[in-house]
Amino acid sequence: MSSIWPQLEGILDDVQKPARYIGCEDGAITPKYHRDKVSWLLTYPDTYEVGLPNQGLQILYEIINERSDAVAERAYAPWTDMASVLRQNRLPFFSVDTHRPAQEFDVLGFNLSAELVYTNLLECLDLADVPIHTERRRPEDPLVIVGGHCTYNPEPIADFIDAAVLGDGEEVVSDITETIRRWKNSGRTSRESILRELATIPGVYVPYAYTPEYEKEELISITPRFPETPEVVEKRTVSDLTDWPYPKNQLVPVTEVVHDRLNVEVFRGCTRGCRFCQAGMITRPVRERPAKQVRTMISEGVRRTGYDEVSLTSLSTADFSGIEEVVKGTLDDSGCGQLSVSLPSLRVDAFTVGIAAELQRARRTGLTFAPEAGSWRMRQVINKLVGEDDLYSAVESAYSQGWRRMKLYFLTGLPTETDEDTKAIIDMARKCVEVGRSHQKSPSVTVSVGGFVPKPFTPFQWFGQNTEEELHRKIRLLRDEAKSSRGVQFKWHDSRASVAEGIVSRGDRRIGAVIEEVWRKGGVFQEWSEHFNLQLWVDAMEKHGLSLDSYVYRHRTEQETLPWDHLSAGLHKDFLWQEWRDALDAVGLEDCRWTPCYDCGACTGYGIEHVVASAQPPAGGSQGTGQQNLTSGSVPVSFSGMKL
Amino acid sequence: MKKIRVRFSKKGKIRFVSHRDVARIWERSLRKAQIKIAYSEGFSPRPKISFGLALPTGNESEAEYLDLELAEDIQENFDDLKEIQERINLALPLGLEVQKIAGKELRADSLQQVVVQSTWQFDLSGYTLEQAKKWSEGVLESSEIVVKRERKGKVVVEDLRNQVISIEVIEETEAGVRVQADLGTQPRTLRPSELLAASNPPIKARNVCRMNQWMLQGDERIEPLSINDAPAPSAQIADVTRRELNHVRTNGQASESRLNRQRVIRSTTKT
Ligand code: SF4
């Protein structure tokens, strides 16, 4: 293999932020190549700054490089200026570790954590000189394998990928590597043989091995083409995080990136059951890392990297049963207090504020909460069971302990939402400001609102998304309300982006042509407001005779085939449907960590269980714990780890 | 002794890292090397590190400087300084390397104030020896080199001629012809790329490397820290008349949200 560094060197003076392309991270591995080894290029198809911190990619990078039969390097999408300079100079898409052309790797692995990066996937393939359509690829071309949350509906990109991995990648990456190694060492002859073989690995979906059938315009089924191909592809789940203390050597970049700090994953999964939240649904069950291991990972990580900030990552981090031990222990270990700890996702209650107070002893500038909806009725619909009491006691305790600014996240365009519900968002913010007045001279609350996009494998997968006009109207409503409220700042996300996201989130294979069209028209970096262009998407839909109504705005029916019905995140479809019906009736559902199992399927189907160190619901908050209904701390759920 | 002056080089791939990022690398590397730095007082304490003149992104250097204040006194002897140097070098990324460390008198002027010129080497891309000689004579014989540039939305007209102190043609290289030039740094640094862009027709600078930085001691120019000296116990910090300066420099403080600002933030999975 060859490095294109000598050619790159000459052009890096001509692009913005050249440090994006040089690698040089602390923790980067020098790959040792051998012709029998399987080589992976792990790509995050967004900028280096956004992609480098991605934990999933870093975990796979280490696991693959620890194998004796494989090597892995990394790549990130070149910014538009770099892409044109590469094309001008006839240089290919390359790895940042040793600057090798992507074309020379056996596998191009893409992490897809957001739908709007799909056009960047095509851009990277094209720059790599790899045919963007899987059917055009020759045996010597790399295999294109994708992973990440978006792969729970890979149909819109089915034409471009050779395989998609569902669920945790830690174990399946080795299964894939071994399969490819055998194929490679036996002469790498036919593309079909490797695709068919990959399709038999649990957790691996090969679109080529399945045929969609339509009746008139409607998708009626997606079925296997080959006898050995499974009818349903089940996600992979790592049962115990203790076995996977990765990344062991978190990469420390030489240029500024997002989340530029030590990140330690404290648990995976979430059973709060917020009905809009795909991440929570598809990562069940909850698997905690032992507090002791977390502390070791922090102390070793800090020593190795020189970071002075550590973030405990997970969904709803305050639910981690070892939270107090870890926070106190870490702050004590660090001695002089030069180390700061942050929790990316705060629960809305006083207990959490207590933890935050512990964390931010000196700098109490802002706190962020996500009540997600303004009215209690609405929060029951979405099953974000934050009581008013919880919120205001959290806010009260925050202001009284010296915080001056509060940021509140909300969604609008939710099922059954009325204008009353929408306006309740600003009411809530106003009340927070009032609570703050008794403690601060000029308390301020920032309300940040996003338009809701329904996602696969959530109870809201049947919901017809609000139209762009409707979302926009709601935003205007909120903006007007906020204007007359002292101390309330209002921010919102572009509702046009929600439309494009809506097209791909629940699209089927026919959306592939739309993605390709948008890319051909120059629509890359659609996650970036300076490049996002809804018109490209609307035009492409029209050109291919596909309607926004049918793909985005329409409620789905119980009988119809969803494009992801042949895939499984473990969740029973009837559980999700029941949840959808309950949502419409504004009936909440408690967290199954502390109440009996509802048999959603995530544990029962795979013979695994929550791994939670404490059977006690977290102190001081009712959010979804259903504590109101419990008289004591004894809860009928086991919490030991794997079922034997 | 609490203050030390550090001379380091920046070479290879890491030359594409900006001055601001280099500052961040230093802060992290010092923590990694477990060198205890003094912190400023106040709401958000900052480590007391002051960086010398910024090096343009993409240029290499044999002579970058920074001053830092340690939290604890150290012995001003060769072994202690050597140990600090080794620890830092283990912590720095490949391409950044400390060449020398020396104690610094507490009240000496800052690097940005005392340095008056830099020696640079760079290649005139695609030039022959003859062309290079003609170019350098042209520059030295000219009475003015007027450039326009935009600063804070206004067009500023500047004459760079006084900033060009000497130019010497060295040899042919793969990229063209290598020259060495002494360029002024006050009131602001003249970059080789600027000088070449001001030529008619403009020349592309390749393989730019800062070789030395200079300050004045009486009539003589000396380096803030010379690597040729015997291991001096303390750097000689020249007493240079303070000049009127109007630095427009960033101090390495990063705004957290800067990178996020332009992104369309996704709406449904706030984790
Ligand atoms: S299977 Fe039961 S315990 Fe497991 S996540 Fe689903 S409802 Fe909760």
Side-chain angles (χ1 to χ4, degrees), chain B residues 146-149 155-159:
Chain B
V146 179
V147 295
K148 280 185 196 157
R149 57 178 197 128
V155 179
V156 188
V157 181
E158 280 177 315
D159 181 3

Side-chain angles (χ1 to χ4, degrees), chain B residues 23-253:
Chain B
R24 300 161 53 80
I25 292 173
W26 267 100
E27 284 182 25
R28 214 169 40 222
S29 300
L30 288 166
R31 281 195 300 268
K32 188 175 164 183
Q34 301 190 343
I35 310 279
K36 294 221 160 54
I37 306 296
Y39 272 72
S40 63
E41 305 281 311
F43 207 55
S44 51
R46 306 282 315 157
K48 290 191 173 174
I49 310 175
S50 55
F51 290 87
L53 298 175
L55 179 71
T57 305
N59 293 1
E60 295 191 310
S61 178
E62 296 281 359
E64 293 305 290
Y65 293 94
L66 60 85
D67 290 340
L68 52 89
E69 189 176 327
L70 302 171
E72 290 150 20
D73 260 337
I74 54 155
Q75 289 302 308
E76 195 178 322
N77 63 44
F78 180 70
D79 287 344
D80 276 12
L81 290 172
K82 200 75 200 157
E83 197 213 310
I84 291 182
Q85 174 168 347
E86 271 158 21
R87 262 160 54 191
I88 296 178
N89 276 339
L90 278 175
L92 283 173
L94 191 72
L96 292 179
E97 191 184 356
V98 175
Q99 297 165 328
K100 191 156 181 186
I101 289 185
K104 175 181 180 293
E105 290 154 37
L106 268 169
R107 293 175 55 77
D109 278 339
S110 83
L111 285 160
Q112 299 196 0
Q113 290 165 336
V114 298
V115 171
V116 292
Q117 48 175 269
S118 298
T119 300
W120 300 87
Q121 287 195 356
F122 47 88
D123 293 351
L124 304 176
S125 175
Y127 268 46
T128 61
L129 266 181
E130 198 131 319
Q131 287 172 309
K133 281 192 185 120
K134 232 176 116 191
W135 170 80
S136 86
E137 279 159 19
V139 173
L140 293 172
E141 279 161 17
S142 66
S143 56
E144 53 172 30
I145 305 172
V146 179
V147 295
K148 280 185 196 157
R149 57 178 197 128
E150 217 172 302
R151 217 179 124 217
K152 290 187 184 161
K154 278 189 203 153
V155 179
V156 188
V157 181
E158 280 177 315
D159 181 3
L160 305 179
R161 179 61 191 87
N162 282 341
Q163 300 272 74
V164 183
I165 297 144
S166 72
I167 302 178
E168 203 182 314
V169 175
I170 304 181
E171 62 186 357
E172 268 178 308
T173 61
E174 233 170 87
V177 173
R178 180 148 308 169
V179 296
Q180 173 163 313
D182 290 343
L183 306 178
T185 60
Q186 303 289 359
R188 65 172 193 92
T189 300
L190 171 59
R191 305 162 168 222
S193 60
E194 273 180 289
L195 176 64
L196 297 195
S199 302
N200 189 13
I203 310 167
K204 204 170 162 185
R206 297 290 304 274
N207 305 323
V208 182
C209 182
R210 173 142 66 191
M211 308 302 291
N212 316 85
Q213 297 190 39
W214 303 102
M215 53 194 217
L216 296 174
Q217 188 175 46
D219 286 343
E220 229 185 302
R221 66 173 196 180
I222 59 162
E223 294 188 282
L225 208 57
S226 168
I227 40 171
N228 301 322
D229 291 350
S234 175
Q236 297 173 323
I237 307 300
D239 184 18
V240 177
T241 5
R242 195 176 286 240
R243 290 169 180 252
E244 280 294 297
L245 301 173
N246 47 355
H247 291 295
V248 199
R249 289 188 197 289
T250 52
N251 59 3
Q253 285 191 16

Side-chain angles (χ1 to χ4, degrees), chain A residues 602-620:
Chain A
C603 310
T604 40
Y606 302 135
I608 44 179
E609 274 191 359
H610 298 312
V611 182
V612 188
S614 160
Q616 301 276 349

Side-chain angles (χ1 to χ4, degrees), chain A residues 54 77 161 206 239 246 302 306 322 351 399 409 440 453 544 564 572 593 602 632:
Chain A
N54 185 273
I161 60 172
V206 174
S239 58
Y246 291 86
V302 166
F351 168 77
Y399 280 122
Y409 274 117
Q440 305 276 340
V453 179
H544 292 279
W564 50 93
H572 298 315
R593 245 170 302 190
S632 76

Side-chain angles (χ1 to χ4, degrees), chain A residues 271 284-286 571 575 592-593 595-604 608 610 637:
Chain A
T271 42
R284 292 171 170 212
V286 172
L571 305 156
F575 167 81
C592 60
R593 245 170 302 190
T595 52
C597 165
Y598 308 110
D599 191 20
C600 76
C603 310
T604 40
I608 44 179
H610 298 312
V637 64

